[in-house]
Amino acid sequence: MAMRRLRAVELMCGGAVSLLAMNGVAYAQAAGGADANEIEAIIVTAQKRTENLQDVPLSIQALSQEKLERLNAKDFVDVVRHLPAVSIRSIVPGVGNIFMRGISSGPDGGASGSLPSVGVYLDEQPVTTIQGTLDIQMFDISRVEALAGPQGTLYGASSQSGTLRIITNKPEPGVTRGRLDVEGNATFKGGVGYSIAGMLNVPIAEQVTLRAVAWNRLDPGYIDNVPATRKYVSSGITIGNAAIAKKDFNDVEVSGARAALRIELDDNWTITPQAMIQETKANGNTYQILGRDLEVERFSRDHRDDTYWQAALTVQGKVGDLDVTYAGAYLNRKFNTFFDYSDYSFFYDTLFGMGQIIRNNAGQMIDPSQRTHSDSLYTRNSHEIRFATPQDKRLRLTGGLFYMEQRHEMRSQYIIEGLATSLSVTNWPDTQWLTDQQRTDRDYAAFGEVSFDVLPQLTLTGGGRVFKATSHIVGFAGLRGNERACFGPTTFGRGPCTNVDRKAKGDGFSPRLNATWKVDDDRLLYVTYSEGFRPGGINRAPQSAAYEPDYLKNYEAGWKTTWANGRLRFNGAVFNDKWDDFQLFVQTTANIAEVRNVGKARVRGFETDFAAKVAGGLSITGAASVIDAKLLENYCGRIDANGDPITTCATPISPEGARLPLSAKFKGSLSVRYDWTMGDANMFVEATGAHQGSSWSSLRTRDRVLQGKSPGFETLDLSAGATWDTWRLSVYARNLFDSRGELARLTSCPASICSRIYQVPIRPRNVGLKFSYDF
């Protein structure tokens, strides 16, 4: 039978699973003698219970620890290249906005913008943040699960189009062991980097086990900040960047640690407290001027210090026949960011003569160049308690309660040195614009799913999530002139007064219905209807209207199949998604960012992955997605008296039928690997090719005309290595042919004004050597 063939390599630690598999291909020697020609099972926890991937009626792609290591993945940009249903926009090192199945309206992630449409979880705890996902070091990670499609029933508001789950390796009771990884690498046309990471698993009492991990990594820069000058039309003042011009100026250093305790109270109850801390120091940015290879011109320092820590607690046990789980966490994230904003100053002066009003206390025109300084604090605490009935019964139930509060204290200054006091925000010298606000989002939910085996081969599942969400913004945002709109003294922060104090709330129900037909032990078919949602919210500018929730309805059919006596696995899904009143992050002509509801869109697509053991040590894995995402109505940029989008206009900002941005029509990857034995060493060589199609960076027609489209590109990665008893040695070359693949395009203000276009290239060719020692 298939389950005898699909032997899992797993370690159950309080419901967690440590799995060594290569994108679904594990190796028989790890399983202790299983048939080397059979594909090993992948164990996932996507439905918040431990299951074989082939038994889960969801579209899931899983990257195991072994696969992540062989891809030399260090951050989400590396991981996403091999997840066809997922795309990422990463401009600032260490920060990225993730999208799935083409559900994207364009760049977002602003402090007062929409909540993310993809939920990110570290083990049981959500780590989705307003301004982009955490950059979690990919070391001692059991696997990454990509759950495509709405996951609103089990994962809530920020899992509108999918969920990414990062599962860490848990403490192993009764085992003392460790690991040390040392790596050196170099980037073509860039610098030299390194990575040092270590793990220790040790029992510290009879029923207490500690697993601790630490790392330090330097990613070399490859973008040059070249010498340049800039002359302002209004004043004739010329600025230069000779003092900060530098080759390879976008280096990133990441340091951190993670620890978990496994405390076994008795045979039924386990407590797992966890803690993690990481600091990312990033210089420069990851983009180049359009048409100039790895070059930018920046006139003030770009730097980001991003430090976060999280304390989490998972309690698992049994009450009678019920499996009970509590998962709670507190996340604290601090940003300290400096950013050159002189493009905005230069182009507004060139087109509108804005430099004429930028003067000092003596009334003289001064250098109008702006830079920004953001000093912000983000906190999030979440609590979930759930129960599940025995999974071997005909009727099965999973349910629970969830509460989350996330708070963002956002402080951003737009600074012009020497600015007149009369032009500066009160008590903020040289500050033309100030945002000093606190945003608080709360989410209350109850969820549940019921599964019933109508026949031994036919299972029906129904469930949903009842939710209530609130959002509140209070503080000050604006120029000195905006102080006239203040209605009270400062109630938050150090702004001159309060001109924003508004709340939004909403509630609803997010359902999921599924029918699963187990054709036989090797084949499963399913159909699903599910919904995902994002709450509405408040824009930071006092004059901007609130925005409403948006909803995604998903119709999906899929299959999980195993063939050729366990040597071939072929899974896939087709889907049709409808996106209503979706939220769009826009910049007004005054360059004030705000969110608006647009109208309707639909996404149709197909996604698949396969794994095959061909012969001997030869194995092939691959995955691909085809996505057709487009507007169903004109986007006119206006709303009616009821707050609904107006969709009939002579010259729409984006017309019906326009393709949604930041997602390629086709994306795919293919890996070919060969394993063999030479003396005492287990050898391997592997080649991985990936293709990503073209994409737009904006929904607006004018931006598309001015910015152009990011073209499609291909990459090829090679790796080879050997494993002895306790030693491993590997070499790799990522992006072997040095492709200038492009992830996105952007401007510093609306493209109709800021005519300098930037491209976000993938990392140039990167070669490295890694030693690993197990002890």
Side-chain angles (χ1 to χ4, degrees):
M1 293 177 64
M3 290 307 297
R4 287 199 297 268
R5 291 196 304 268
L6 298 175
R7 297 180 178 89
V9 184
E10 56 180 301
L11 171 67
M12 299 288 200
C13 290
V17 180
S18 178
L19 174 71
L20 290 180
M22 189 203 76
N23 196 16
V25 179
Y27 291 93
Q29 48 268 52
D35 188 340
N37 291 322
E38 294 178 357
I39 299 169
E40 296 295 333
I42 300 179
I43 303 300
V44 297
T45 51
Q47 297 190 113
K48 301 200 173 183
R49 58 180 180 265
T50 302
E51 299 174 287
N52 186 333
L53 174 70
Q54 295 303 95
D55 294 330
V56 182
L58 293 173
S59 181
I60 306 173
Q61 188 180 1
L63 298 178
S64 70
Q65 174 175 324
E66 189 176 2
K67 182 63 174 179
L68 292 169
E69 291 177 358
R70 290 171 178 172
L71 293 173
N72 299 289
K74 298 177 178 61
D75 54 27
F76 268 128
V77 174
D78 293 337
V79 172
V80 165
R81 286 172 54 201
H82 303 279
L83 297 173
V86 186
S87 58
I88 188 169
R89 185 178 188 266
S90 181
I91 296 172
V92 178
V95 180
N97 302 122
I98 297 174
F99 309 95
M100 294 184 75
R101 281 191 172 176
I103 303 299
S104 167
S105 57
D108 57 13
S112 56
S114 304
L115 291 175
S117 63
V118 174
V120 180
Y121 276 67
L122 180 66
D123 295 318
E124 290 282 350
Q125 288 78 17
V127 292
T128 318
T129 71
I130 298 171
Q131 284 192 282
T133 185
L134 299 181
D135 179 25
I136 296 173
Q137 177 78 4
M138 293 290 115
F139 177 73
D140 201 41
I141 299 296
S142 174
R143 66 190 179 279
V144 175
E145 298 175 2
L147 286 58
Q151 306 297 325
T153 298
L154 293 180
Y155 294 99
S158 286
S159 292
Q160 182 185 49
S161 61
T163 301
L164 276 177
R165 305 184 69 239
I166 304 162
I167 312 299
T168 62
N169 286 318
K170 302 301 185 297
E172 302 173 60
V175 176
T176 299
R177 69 182 187 89
R179 176 177 175 179
L180 178 65
D181 282 7
V182 179
E183 175 186 329
N185 62 80
T187 297
F188 179 68
K189 292 190 175 180
V192 175
Y194 66 85
S195 176
I196 302 174
M199 179 277 293
L200 178 65
N201 187 98
V202 57
I204 58 177
E206 184 177 352
Q207 293 179 303
V208 181
T209 307
L210 169 69
R211 192 180 189 102
V213 181
W215 58 86
N216 178 252
R217 183 183 99 224
L218 176 66
D219 293 338
Y222 51 88
I223 302 290
D224 298 338
N225 186 26
V226 299
T229 59
R230 176 170 273 173
K231 183 175 181 178
Y232 287 97
V233 174
S234 295
S235 62
I237 293 173
T238 299
I239 62 172
N241 68 349
I244 62 169
K246 183 182 178 182
K247 286 182 63 64
D248 311 327
F249 88 134
N250 63 318
D251 55 289
V252 181
E253 184 176 9
V254 182
S255 303
R258 187 176 68 243
L261 279 177
R262 176 182 169 86
I263 306 171
E264 300 176 44
L265 300 181
D266 55 30
D267 291 340
N268 292 325
W269 288 89
T270 302
I271 300 176
T272 308
Q274 295 174 269
M276 177 178 62
I277 185 169
Q278 180 170 293
E279 180 179 24
T280 300
K281 295 182 178 180
N283 295 308
N285 291 297
T286 58
Y287 48 78
Q288 64 187 30
I289 298 173
L290 178 65
R292 294 173 59 174
D293 190 33
L294 307 179
E295 290 185 351
V296 293
E297 298 173 0
R298 308 294 285 173
F299 293 88
S300 65
R301 182 176 178 237
D302 293 314
H303 177 76
R304 181 183 183 90
D305 193 327
D306 181 357
T307 302
Y308 67 81
W309 61 269
Q310 176 176 278
L313 177 67
T314 303
V315 181
Q316 294 174 306
K318 296 184 74 68
V319 177
D321 285 340
L322 293 179
D323 293 318
V324 179
T325 301
Y326 164 78
Y330 177 80
L331 173 66
N332 181 293
R333 187 181 191 183
K334 293 182 179 179
F335 308 91
N336 191 21
T337 304
F338 299 87
F339 184 77
D340 176 24
Y341 205 47
S342 61
D343 272 12
Y344 172 89
S345 307
F346 176 77
F347 287 107
Y348 269 85
D349 181 58
T350 301
L351 295 178
F352 308 114
M354 293 291 289
Q356 299 179 52
I357 65 173
I358 306 301
R359 298 175 180 265
N360 59 19
N361 284 330
Q364 302 166 326
M365 284 191 290
I366 59 174
D367 175 6
S369 299
Q370 289 192 39
R371 59 183 175 88
T372 68
H373 177 212
S374 297
D375 184 10
S376 301
L377 171 65
Y378 172 89
T379 61
R380 176 183 184 129
N381 69 82
S382 61
H383 305 272
E384 178 177 292
I385 185 166
R386 68 177 185 272
F387 66 90
T389 61
Q391 297 303 304
D392 58 354
K393 304 297 184 182
R394 187 178 182 186
L395 177 66
R396 300 174 296 279
L397 173 65
T398 300
L401 301 173
F402 176 81
Y403 169 75
M404 178 278 297
E405 178 187 88
Q406 55 184 340
R407 182 166 293 170
H408 195 170
E409 298 177 5
M410 40 192 168
R411 182 175 297 117
S412 295
Q413 299 171 255
Y414 290 70
I415 299 169
I416 301 175
E417 297 291 343
L419 186 67
T421 302
S422 61
L423 298 174
S424 301
V425 175
T426 301
N427 298 324
W428 287 82
D430 301 334
T431 302
Q432 186 183 41
W433 175 286
L434 174 70
T435 297
D436 193 7
Q437 297 176 334
Q438 178 179 271
R439 170 177 175 170
T440 304
D441 294 271
R442 293 185 176 92
D443 184 9
Y444 310 81
F447 60 91
E449 283 193 347
V450 179
S451 296
F452 180 67
D453 296 334
V454 180
L455 299 170
Q457 296 82 22
L458 178 63
T459 301
L460 300 181
T461 300
R465 190 181 191 96
V466 179
F467 65 90
K468 178 181 179 181
T470 65
S471 182
H472 178 209
I473 289 185
V474 60
F476 176 83
L479 307 163
R480 186 181 183 95
N482 294 112
E483 296 176 30
R484 293 191 294 269
C486 287
F487 47 80
T490 300
T491 56
F492 169 77
R494 297 186 288 117
C497 52
T498 297
N499 64 357
V500 178
D501 189 352
R502 292 189 291 169
K503 298 180 180 180
K505 61 181 180 180
D507 53 53
F509 177 71
S510 177
R512 177 176 180 266
L513 299 172
N514 174 271
T516 301
W517 180 28
K518 189 80 171 178
V519 179
D520 54 35
D521 286 344
D522 292 327
R523 282 163 280 276
L524 175 151
L525 305 176
Y526 72 87
V527 292
T528 295
Y529 171 78
S530 58
E531 291 188 11
F533 67 96
R534 286 188 299 180
I538 302 296
N539 285 300
R540 66 175 179 173
Q543 69 276 14
S544 298
Y547 54 95
E548 299 299 319
D550 61 359
Y551 298 90
L552 182 70
K553 298 178 180 179
N554 172 58
Y555 305 84
E556 180 176 330
W559 60 93
K560 301 287 183 72
T561 64
T562 306
W563 307 85
N565 294 319
R567 298 175 60 179
L568 171 66
R569 189 191 67 238
F570 175 55
N571 298 338
V574 293
F575 56 89
N576 182 20
D577 292 347
K578 296 182 179 179
W579 198 11
D580 294 335
D581 298 327
F582 69 86
Q583 299 164 9
L584 176 65
F585 197 68
V586 301
Q587 285 182 309
T588 66
T589 54
N591 209 37
I592 299 174
E594 62 180 45
V595 179
R596 296 173 181 168
N597 292 93
V598 175
K600 300 181 185 298
R602 70 112 175 105
V603 181
R604 293 173 180 165
F606 162 80
E607 55 202 18
T608 186
D609 68 271
F610 77 93
K613 298 294 286 290
V614 180
L618 181 63
S619 58
I620 302 175
T621 60
S625 67
V626 178
I627 294 174
D628 180 24
K630 61 179 59 177
L631 280 178
L632 292 180
E633 301 174 328
N634 291 331
Y635 166 43
C636 297
R638 303 191 303 276
I639 57 176
D640 60 22
N642 297 320
D644 296 322
I646 294 173
T647 59
T648 301
C649 52
T651 54
I653 296 173
S654 189
E656 175 186 350
R659 181 173 149 196
L660 297 185
L662 298 179
S663 181
K665 285 187 176 180
F666 176 78
K667 185 180 178 185
S669 64
L670 182 69
S671 294
V672 179
R673 178 183 176 88
Y674 185 68
D675 289 83
W676 75 98
T677 301
M678 181 180 294
D680 294 333
N682 294 316
M683 313 290 291
F684 82 90
V685 60
E686 183 170 357
T688 300
H691 170 82
Q692 180 169 316
S694 62
S695 63
W696 297 104
S697 291
S698 172
L699 187 64
R700 301 165 64 99
T701 300
R702 176 178 290 185
D703 290 348
R704 294 183 175 191
V705 171
L706 297 173
Q707 292 181 354
K709 180 189 290 188
S710 296
F713 63 92
E714 295 79 30
T715 59
L716 177 65
D717 299 346
L718 295 180
S719 60
T723 301
W724 292 270
D725 184 25
T726 58
W727 289 91
R728 288 189 299 274
L729 170 66
S730 61
V731 295
Y732 65 84
R734 296 190 299 173
N735 192 9
L736 179 67
F737 296 117
D738 198 34
S739 166
R740 285 296 181 270
E742 182 183 312
L743 299 177
R745 296 190 179 190
L746 67 145
T747 56
S748 294
C749 63
S752 57
I753 297 171
C754 289
S755 57
R756 172 161 282 180
I757 313 299
Y758 297 97
Q759 303 166 286
V760 183
I762 62 173
R763 181 176 288 273
R765 181 190 303 118
N766 179 248
V767 297
L769 175 68
K770 182 165 71 174
F771 293 92
S772 298
Y773 175 62
D774 295 318
F775 57 90

